[in-house]
Amino acid sequence: MFENMSGQSIAVLGAALAAALAGCGSAIGVGIAGKSAAGVSSEKPELFGKLLVLQALPGTQGIYGFLAAVLIMVNTGLLGANVTISVATGWSFFGAGLPIGIAGLVSGIYQGKAAAAAIQLTGKSPDNFVKGMTMTALVETYAILGLLVSILLIFGIPVA
Amino acid sequence: MIVPVKKLKLVVLKEDEEKVLKALQRVGEVMVISTENTHESLDASKEENFVQRTQKSLSVIKPFKEKEKLKEKFSHLIVVDYKDFVNPDSNKPDDLLTKIEDADNTISRLKAENDAANEFKKSLLPWEGLTGKLSTISKSKFTVIHVGFIPLKQLEQFKEIEKNFKGELQYLGQTTDSQAVLIANWKDDDASEMDQFKTVGFVEIALPNVDKTVKELMSEKDTLVAANQKVIAETEAHLKEWAKQEESIKIFSDEMKTVTALKAAPVQTTVDTVYLEGWIKTSRQERVVNAIKSATDTFDYEFVDPEEGENAPVALENNKFASNFEPITDMFAHPTKDDMDPNPVMSLWYWVIFGIMMADVGYGIILFLGTLFIKKVMKPRGSFGKLINVFFLGSITTTIWGVVFGSYFGAELIPHIWFVPQDDPITMLLFTLIIGVCHLSCGLIMKCVMQFKSGHPLDGIFDQISWVLVLVGGSLTLSQFCANMLPTQPTIPPIVMTVGEIIALVGIAIILFTAGRKAKGIGKVVGGLKGVYNITSYLSDVLSYARILALAMSTAIIGFVMNMLAGMVGGTPIIGIVFSIIVYVIGHIFNMAMGLLSAYVHDSRLQYIEFYGKFYEGGGLDFKPLTLEYKYVNEIKDGK
């Protein structure tokens, strides 16, 4: 089924996966954290600001995926510039989109769970808000590494 | 840095107790501590009660406040004279609080009453068709009357049974799921026929046995609800009036909080004297003595050094720059007396790394103006004020790195000075890893200095300096390998690599031969190997700094994408331009907010895990002196 695909369409698949998978991860993660935050807000509405920050933390994966997708689009000429992409290069871009896509999906979900726990922590003792935030941020490291690999790959792929 | 503390032991006459405590609270330098046999100096239950009541009342009047103009909301500061603040007249606010509480109770009571009335009305609705007085529905000599509901689902079956029914039956109103029915029956047949009705779901209910019709009952409730509404409206109007005095309640709340803190200070008492102990910074002895002198002439005091093993608080004094970063360290752990205060060094790293993560002139300027506005107008205090200062200072490095990387709201309006990270990610990656090597080495050197000071210089060399050698030597050894990845591919003189290799090997040798020095027998060899194996954890520590690249680039590229999106919709005249401005403004605000959150969190993380992991333990007691406590009041004029 791949014979008739141009290099560019394969690259599009890569960009789509990067944005979609990481976006799903963030959506699930923010959703998990949101449920927890809503519960805590019902008892302690004054913590809303802090809870919102914790809920937003798993949202970065989606941004990273979006970022990688835009970089692929820019480098493959989907946004104006006129470049021809060979099938092999297309597959390279496809591969380059995967690290942030997959790492973003999984880390987004698990960061959401950590954020939910941090929200409960904040609900019980608001002073420990930053500790919870740090614990949640540790999960994001792996999405950042995924993004890093994706970026380095995207910039490393030679385009004619 | 950590400043020494001394313990104040003070004896005053009982009659002077409150005056002296007030003076100490005002000077705000003494952390009164509880010892054996101490108790709360004075009874604070009345004031505590007031604090709770004021907070309740404030939440009651909150919805009734007049809408402040945005300008007033930010610029209105509550300033109180010290004299007024510590001599509160509790009668007037007490009166107001009582009124507000009564109003609140009245409103909730009447609302509950109305709810009950409406509920009752609703339950009567199906029976509206009954024209007679309800008391007439009862047994007579030959008949029985039943009222009740049939589920709508079973109405058909009910009507089947009705065909053979000898009594009278009247269908009344319906609720959402059942039909109200009145059944008049002959007494003799009643039991068996009612059983039949009950098998198809008839549920008998009792209507109130009063001398009124349903309509009368309902209109009675209507009158009650209307009357209650009127009272509620009147009470709310009062609340609106009292809400204007919100400020006096706020001040009173803070006054009571301050008095509570004062009265809760732990002391020991005899018949005529009061004894208290507290920690002070050594440099403030004179100030404290003067404060006591201003309150009384009759007192005796002594300053003693903390004893060995005593849990003395750790007081910090840093310059104007580093002190702002103290809350960041305290969130991790407050230093102990054996630690070195990490704030002076950490603050510099935090400041620089924050700037690289944000790195945009536009965002830097907005952050600068925004935090400056908050500082000048809202005058934040405490740890929130310090956080604002961190962002304020961070805006400077953000701007500087923005100039270096040529990023102005995500566009390169002015050519970059050094390089553009998104065009040249490898250079940026290497740059961030070099920052990591320096940051980690700095942490190791801090630990080494601490060990030298505490008289374990060999530990410092074996465990810390060895790793600095490995980190630096390893980086030099890899320099040509890394240089080849750069776009310019510079040639590094081979001597650098040779020196690097030697340094790294010396470091590894030290670790191999000394890491197992505390173990016995074969453990010495295993310990050495385990020590060298630690290189993997250092590798992951260094790589962790690559997050700086990822965050810097995500801020820059999302800014760039927002510019592109704004440009795309800006094609058509007028509408396009309006949309493009909206996209531009919202996009950049969003990007800046996310960038700020990420920079704050990940910069903290680099300090906590990578940097503090190398030298800092923490877990000490914070120095929290007895001071004036205020939350709503913005400023207390000393009025000396």
Side-chain angles (χ1 to χ4, degrees), chain A residues 63 67 138 140-141 148 155, chain B residues 422 549 557-558 602 605 609:
Chain A
I63 298 173
L67 182 70
L138 293 192
E140 199 173 307
T141 306
L148 195 66
F155 282 109
Chain B
Q422 57 268 38
L549 154 72
I557 293 177
I558 290 170
H602 285 282
R605 179 229 137 98
I609 292 167

Side-chain angles (χ1 to χ4, degrees), chain A residues 53 56-57 59-60 63-64 66-67 70-71 74 79 127 129-131 133-134 137-141 144-145 147-148 151-152 155, chain B residues 331-332 422-423 425-426 429 543 546-547 549-551 553-554 557-558 560-561 564 568 590 594 597-598 600-602 605 608-609:
Chain A
V53 169
L57 285 181
T60 32
I63 298 173
Y64 296 155
F66 168 75
L67 182 70
V70 171
L71 285 179
V74 171
L79 293 174
D127 291 344
F129 160 64
V130 176
K131 285 181 187 151
M133 197 159 85
T134 314
L138 293 192
V139 184
E140 199 173 307
T141 306
I144 291 180
L145 293 180
L147 172 68
L148 195 66
I151 288 179
L152 293 178
F155 282 109
Chain B
M331 280 164 194
F332 181 77
Q422 57 268 38
D423 295 346
I426 300 292
L429 177 64
L543 284 178
R547 79 184 62 238
L549 154 72
L551 292 171
M553 278 180 78
S554 75
I557 293 177
I558 290 170
F560 161 78
V561 170
M564 201 170 64
M568 278 159 119
F590 167 78
M594 289 305 287
L597 177 62
S598 295
Y600 173 59
V601 170
H602 285 282
R605 179 229 137 98
Y608 294 163
I609 292 167

Side-chain angles (χ1 to χ4, degrees), chain A residues 39-110:
Chain A
V40 174
S41 307
S42 69
E43 289 208 353
K44 297 191 170 171
E46 70 277 7
L47 289 175
F48 178 70
K50 286 181 175 175
L51 300 181
L52 199 68
V53 169
L54 287 171
Q55 196 198 340
L57 285 181
T60 32
Q61 279 85 344
I63 298 173
Y64 296 155
F66 168 75
L67 182 70
V70 171
L71 285 179
I72 293 178
M73 287 186 235
V74 171
N75 281 19
T76 54
L78 285 165
L79 293 174
N82 196 11
V83 265
T84 352
I85 304 284
S86 70
V87 173
T89 316
W91 280 114
S92 302
F93 278 110
F94 177 84
L98 291 184
I100 182 56
I102 297 170
L105 173 65
V106 179
S107 74
I109 297 169
Y110 281 91

